[in-house]
Amino acid sequence: MKKLIFLFVFVSFNPLFAQLSGKVVDENNEPLSDVNIYVEETFQGTVSTKDGYFELDIRGNLTKVNVLFQYMGYETKRLLVEVSQLPKEENIQLHPESFTLDDVVVNANENPAIRVIRKAIENRKANKAKLTAYQADFYSKGIWQLDNVPEKILGQEVGDFGGVLDSTRSGIIYLSETVSEIYYQEPNMKEHIIASKVSGDDNGFSWNNADDFNVSFYDRTIDFNAAMVSPIAPNAFSYYDYVLDGVDYDENKLLINKIQVNPKRPFDRSFSGYIYIVEDTGEIAGIDFKTNGRATQIEPLEEIRFQQQFTYLPSIESFVMNAQTIDFSWSIFGIKGDGKFYANYSNYNFEPNFAPKFFNREIISFANDANLKDEAYWEQMRSVPLTNIEIADYTKKDSIQELRKSKVYLDSIDATTNKFKAFDIVSGYSWKSTYKNREFIYDTPFPLGVNFNTVQGWNIPLSLTYRQRDEQNSFRKYWDFSTKFTYGFSEEKLRPEFIFRKKFNNFSKPYLILSAGERLEQLNSSEPITPLVNTVASVFWERSYMKLYERRFVEASYSQEVFNGFRGFATLGMEQRNHLFNATNSRLWVNNPEGFTSNNPLDPFDETSISFMSHRLAKLRLGGSYNIGNKYITRPDGKYNYPNENYPRLSFQYIKTFASSITRHEFNHLRFRVNQEVNLKNYGTTYYSVNAGTFFGRRDGIAFVDFKHFNGNQTHVETSSTYVNSFQLLNYF
């Protein structure tokens, strides 16, 4: 019986493939990384590692196969492999391709590269349209490394990044892999991630995805933080110079032009490097480009390199991408590092049969067990072998992770960080029980929380919060209870506020908030002036722009995503609203004989006047916002939205007041808003916001505090970065 069980296990887990492994070197016996290695006329392939090492799994009932070793700038090598002799090792040496200008007819009046680029520009749309739909398997790997990290930055201890750094203060801070299926039908892409692995985090999900690698230089621009201009864009001649480096016939007898691309200006949104273009058709056969942080507007980025390798398929008469790598290096505050992202495409199906509504707003989905795959699965499915340093990182972080999950370790860390110091009274304090996923937070106002207004004088807020997180110690589900106290020294009054908040799940993200207490709010509900700006205006210019009233309330609020892109909310509360008078009129800095204006913007020079009668009422607010075309990612731990920048955001709110102690203050109000951030590519970004609203029913007795006051500005200081939805130099009331 035991023998039968052993035989069953052996047969079940013995992989149905044979493996060819080895090392790829150049003409000087130096390792070649990122060599594209695949079985001819298939998309079973892999890529060599930084050390030149490769492992190629050959699947299917094959007896003999040709394995191709392809690398841009080098001759493609074909190796005949007897499958019955596998597994075996083969070391491969590649030699530079003999690109030459011997057969190029040079016209003294024309750069020969210009003719090729013009053909590529002319045919770029047609060449991209050759692949309008496909299905493929996709493997990706991402790695970020730190090198020689200083022990201190600006006098502050850096630490070892949670055990990541070794004795040379170098190490991997991010290592992740994914295995997925991708589906494409112009212009839509969808991905289903079957397996996801993050070094040091068994519960983690990789953020590597096929959409990030969906880079086509047939497009006018390539979005990489900035809109980078493609070397074959219609306006490319304004950004690039071109040099024909040579021509050569590939293994398919196609004439390939190797063209050097140079930016006209060093920090334009452009690339440098080589593009390989097919004669006559203008099709891209390979990409090897570089750019830098100034061009991409990511200053810490020193250099980034894009490599795309293609395979020509006679059956569809087109070049198809089978491998892509993105290398980068960066430096900031004395910390240097580099990284790399691999992408490998295999098992293409160019005649997929997609259901009519297969492509929707869900761009990425994860299998429920995506982060639960064992190492045997990864050994079988990993198309790019791990390097020694990557194997060591997985091993090290797995052992560290188990230790750091233990109660003894977590309690020991908490015992150190939870120590209370005298200065915490001023700077704030937090207490944690990481093992039980709970924390207590004491927030202080120093230094920017101490403010001045004429109702309270100098005032100080103070808050206490107790929070219970979910089992993963995250905010996917949690609840907390907080209290906030604000004391005004001139008013000599303490105002308390109590808030209970609960998030139920991370998919529709429903929140329940119960609150009660006393709060000072601005008469202008747009809150056009911040406490800091008002404090500066009051202290240095004796201008009391912020006008306040007291709100005593009890309130319940609920919100959640009702359907994709639309989030609704409902709030019901009872409140007492009281007019307030200035508690101080003392000069602070300048000698202004008039002092501050009153707290009534309708009569600023009469300290005894009021802007509304104190009253009590109930208020119902219903509303929502809708991101048109909202895209999203679904993972086992939640739904993650990505607003579609091509469409605006719509929002509305209905307000009804009732049961008022002054009947004429009851009203109905409806407001709408449309706003959008519009990306103009190389011309920058613009924003717009359109607002409309109306009061209906009774209008003649609405309290001043409920008027529609606009977001004005009388201080000549603007704290918003966009200036949208605000009116400079307009009065606040």
Side-chain angles (χ1 to χ4, degrees):
M1 184 66 180
K2 290 182 179 179
K3 290 182 178 179
L4 288 175
I5 293 174
F6 172 79
L7 181 61
F8 173 77
V9 172
F10 177 80
V11 172
S12 298
F13 290 93
N14 188 34
L16 299 177
F17 58 83
Q19 189 177 82
L20 175 70
S21 61
K23 188 175 183 179
V24 186
V25 297
D26 63 13
E27 72 280 9
N28 298 316
N29 290 320
E30 294 294 328
L32 274 177
S33 65
D34 307 325
V35 176
N36 187 26
I37 304 157
Y38 63 97
V39 178
E40 189 174 24
E41 297 182 356
T42 76
F43 280 91
Q44 295 183 29
T46 184
V47 177
S48 62
T49 67
K50 186 177 181 180
D51 304 321
Y53 184 70
F54 72 91
E55 293 176 352
L56 176 63
D57 298 329
I58 301 176
R59 294 176 170 83
N61 298 319
L62 304 173
T63 56
K64 294 181 180 181
V65 296
N66 283 316
V67 177
L68 300 185
F69 295 80
Q70 182 183 36
Y71 189 67
M72 281 181 295
Y74 285 76
E75 294 178 351
T76 298
K77 185 160 187 175
R78 179 180 279 100
L79 178 69
L80 180 63
V81 176
E82 295 277 355
V83 177
S84 61
Q85 296 178 5
L86 299 179
K88 66 180 293 189
E89 285 194 12
E90 284 280 354
N91 293 326
I92 304 297
Q93 187 175 53
L94 299 184
H95 297 275
E97 205 159 15
S98 56
F99 282 96
T100 177
L101 294 173
D102 293 345
D103 298 328
V104 178
V105 178
V106 179
N107 186 332
N109 297 320
E110 184 181 24
N111 178 349
I114 299 299
R115 173 188 57 80
V116 179
I117 293 297
R118 283 192 179 130
K119 175 64 70 172
I121 293 173
E122 177 185 343
N123 292 350
R124 68 183 185 88
K125 290 184 178 180
N127 285 327
K128 184 178 181 180
K130 288 182 178 181
L131 292 179
T132 57
Y134 62 80
Q135 179 179 337
D137 293 337
F138 179 78
Y139 167 83
S140 70
K141 178 169 68 175
I143 180 172
W144 286 53
Q145 300 180 94
L146 296 176
D147 299 315
N148 301 315
V149 177
E151 294 184 359
K152 290 185 178 181
I153 296 178
L154 302 176
Q156 299 296 315
E157 294 284 348
V158 175
D160 65 354
F161 287 82
V164 167
L165 302 183
D166 59 20
S167 58
T168 66
R169 298 194 61 76
S170 302
I172 296 175
I173 59 172
Y174 175 80
L175 174 61
S176 174
E177 300 174 272
T178 62
V179 172
S180 60
E181 295 175 347
I182 57 175
Y183 315 94
Y184 179 79
Q185 188 172 63
E186 178 69 25
N188 301 306
M189 174 173 278
K190 190 171 185 177
E191 179 177 13
H192 179 63
I193 295 180
I194 301 169
S196 175
K197 185 178 179 70
V198 180
S199 180
D201 186 2
D202 284 345
N203 295 318
F205 293 93
S206 172
W207 288 103
N208 308 346
N209 62 77
D211 190 56
D212 289 339
F213 288 93
N214 188 24
V215 176
S216 174
F217 285 88
Y218 289 121
D219 294 331
R220 295 174 63 102
T221 59
I222 290 84
D223 289 328
F224 191 81
N225 189 59
M228 309 292 291
V229 178
S230 169
I232 61 170
N235 59 339
F237 290 112
S238 299
Y239 290 85
Y240 295 100
D241 292 320
Y242 304 92
V243 177
L244 181 61
D245 197 68
V247 298
D248 192 23
Y249 286 93
D250 69 359
E251 66 276 8
N252 297 293
K253 307 303 180 183
L254 296 173
L255 184 62
I256 308 296
N257 297 274
K258 180 182 180 182
I259 296 178
Q260 184 177 356
V261 175
N262 300 306
K264 286 184 177 291
R265 294 163 293 275
F267 301 120
D268 265 355
R269 299 179 180 184
S270 53
F271 302 92
S272 63
Y274 294 93
I275 184 170
Y276 299 79
I277 297 179
V278 182
E279 184 73 16
D280 297 330
T281 66
E283 198 168 1
I284 295 175
I287 293 290
D288 189 358
F289 286 151
K290 295 180 181 179
T291 188
N292 54 62
R294 291 284 296 275
T296 59
Q297 299 180 359
I298 307 175
E299 290 298 331
L301 190 64
E302 293 181 338
E303 183 180 89
I304 183 168
R305 182 182 183 186
F306 294 87
Q307 288 184 298
Q308 294 181 339
Q309 300 193 50
F310 297 80
T311 296
Y312 181 75
L313 292 184
S315 58
I316 61 173
E317 298 183 343
S318 180
F319 281 83
V320 178
M321 188 187 303
N322 51 21
Q324 184 172 193
T325 59
I326 301 175
D327 296 81
F328 58 92
S329 59
W330 52 273
S331 176
I332 184 171
F333 298 130
I335 301 178
K336 293 187 176 182
D338 56 60
K340 189 165 197 167
F341 286 92
Y342 299 84
N344 185 260
Y345 304 80
S346 60
N347 299 325
Y348 275 98
N349 173 13
F350 297 105
E351 296 181 353
N353 185 21
F354 297 127
K357 294 184 179 180
F358 178 79
F359 291 96
N360 50 29
R361 299 303 178 183
E362 183 183 52
I363 54 176
I364 301 174
S365 63
F366 282 71
N368 288 332
D369 62 346
N371 62 341
L372 303 178
K373 306 295 186 183
D374 59 19
E375 188 55 36
Y377 173 88
W378 284 102
E379 285 292 334
Q380 179 179 346
M381 299 303 297
R382 183 181 286 126
S383 59
V384 179
L386 297 176
T387 63
N388 291 333
I389 191 174
E390 291 167 351
I391 294 172
D393 186 73
Y394 272 130
T395 304
K396 175 184 176 181
K397 288 181 180 175
D398 284 348
S399 61
I400 291 177
Q401 178 184 220
E402 291 305 314
L403 170 65
R404 294 187 174 179
K405 285 181 179 179
S406 68
K407 186 177 186 301
V408 173
Y409 175 82
L410 294 175
D411 288 348
S412 67
I413 296 297
D414 289 341
T416 301
T417 58
N418 288 344
K419 289 180 179 178
F420 185 83
K421 297 175 284 291
F423 191 67
D424 291 342
I425 298 175
V426 176
S427 62
Y429 172 76
S430 65
W431 175 92
K432 293 182 179 180
S433 175
T434 308
Y435 187 77
K436 295 183 178 180
N437 309 317
R438 59 183 60 161
E439 61 186 332
F440 172 81
I441 303 169
Y442 159 67
D443 278 334
T444 65
F446 299 99
L448 299 180
V450 179
N451 292 298
F452 178 89
N453 62 66
T454 55
V455 171
Q456 295 175 294
W458 289 102
N459 58 89
I460 297 178
L462 185 72
S463 69
L464 304 171
T465 302
Y466 174 82
R467 179 174 295 125
Q468 179 68 57
R469 303 193 193 188
D470 61 14
E471 295 177 355
Q472 283 72 45
N473 200 25
S474 75
F475 285 96
R476 295 167 190 146
K477 291 194 296 183
Y478 72 94
W479 66 266
D480 59 31
F481 179 77
S482 60
T483 61
K484 182 178 180 181
F485 302 94
T486 305
Y487 183 77
F489 286 90
S490 296
E491 189 186 28
E492 298 182 349
K493 184 172 182 178
L494 179 70
R495 287 187 170 83
E497 186 177 343
F498 306 93
I499 303 173
F500 171 80
R501 178 175 53 179
K502 182 176 177 64
K503 181 181 179 182
F504 294 89
N505 65 62
N506 204 38
F507 291 91
S508 61
K509 297 178 176 62
Y511 284 87
L512 173 67
I513 301 175
L514 305 175
S515 56
E518 295 183 33
R519 181 191 300 171
L520 288 190
E521 296 193 357
Q522 296 187 41
L523 286 172
N524 184 339
S525 60
S526 300
E527 298 187 344
I529 184 169
T530 66
L532 177 60
V533 171
N534 184 72
T535 299
V536 173
S538 299
V539 171
F540 292 96
W541 292 284
E542 223 162 275
R543 295 290 184 266
S544 55
Y545 293 117
M546 184 181 286
K547 307 302 179 183
L548 303 164
Y549 73 98
E550 181 182 70
R551 178 171 173 259
R552 300 177 183 176
F553 65 97
V554 57
E555 190 173 78
S557 179
Y558 181 82
S559 65
Q560 76 166 70
E561 186 177 56
V562 182
F563 55 86
N564 178 49
F566 177 77
R567 185 169 189 85
F569 72 88
T571 301
L572 179 64
M574 177 67 73
E575 55 190 64
Q576 171 72 35
R577 300 168 339 163
N578 299 321
H579 181 84
L580 299 173
F581 297 97
N582 286 344
T584 179
N585 196 31
S586 60
R587 302 181 183 91
L588 299 175
W589 187 264
V590 297
N591 187 13
N592 183 354
E594 296 180 355
F596 293 108
T597 56
S598 74
N599 193 44
N600 179 8
L602 300 177
D603 196 351
F605 301 108
D606 184 355
E607 285 289 346
T608 63
S609 64
I610 60 176
S611 59
F612 69 93
M613 297 287 293
S614 296
H615 60 282
R616 181 186 67 256
L617 54 72
K619 179 184 284 189
L620 171 67
R621 291 189 297 131
L622 302 173
S625 61
Y626 181 48
N627 293 313
I628 301 176
N630 182 76
K631 299 178 181 179
Y632 63 94
I633 295 174
T634 305
R635 302 193 327 195
D637 63 353
K639 176 176 180 281
Y640 300 87
N641 290 324
Y642 290 83
N644 192 327
E645 64 179 16
N646 297 321
Y647 299 97
R649 181 173 183 261
L650 311 179
S651 56
F652 76 96
Q653 184 175 179
Y654 167 70
I655 303 174
K656 178 179 179 60
T657 60
F658 56 97
S660 175
S661 58
I662 302 178
T663 306
R664 68 176 183 272
H665 287 345
E666 298 176 2
F667 66 90
N668 293 273
H669 177 54
L670 188 61
R671 66 179 68 163
F672 299 91
R673 183 183 181 191
V674 180
N675 64 290
Q676 185 180 8
E677 175 183 338
V678 182
N679 186 351
L680 301 178
K681 302 294 183 182
N682 288 335
Y683 298 101
T685 304
T686 188
Y687 306 80
Y688 71 84
S689 177
V690 179
N691 296 268
T694 184
F695 289 89
F696 54 95
R698 178 177 294 167
R699 302 185 184 185
D700 53 352
I702 298 174
F704 183 74
V705 68
D706 293 315
F707 281 20
K708 173 55 183 175
H709 303 289
F710 292 91
N711 193 3
N713 191 350
Q714 296 174 247
T715 65
H716 310 295
V717 175
E718 177 56 57
T719 56
S720 170
S721 61
T722 63
Y723 291 87
V724 174
N725 207 40
S726 63
F727 301 90
Q728 307 308 306
L729 305 182
L730 181 69
N731 289 344
Y732 295 122
F733 304 96

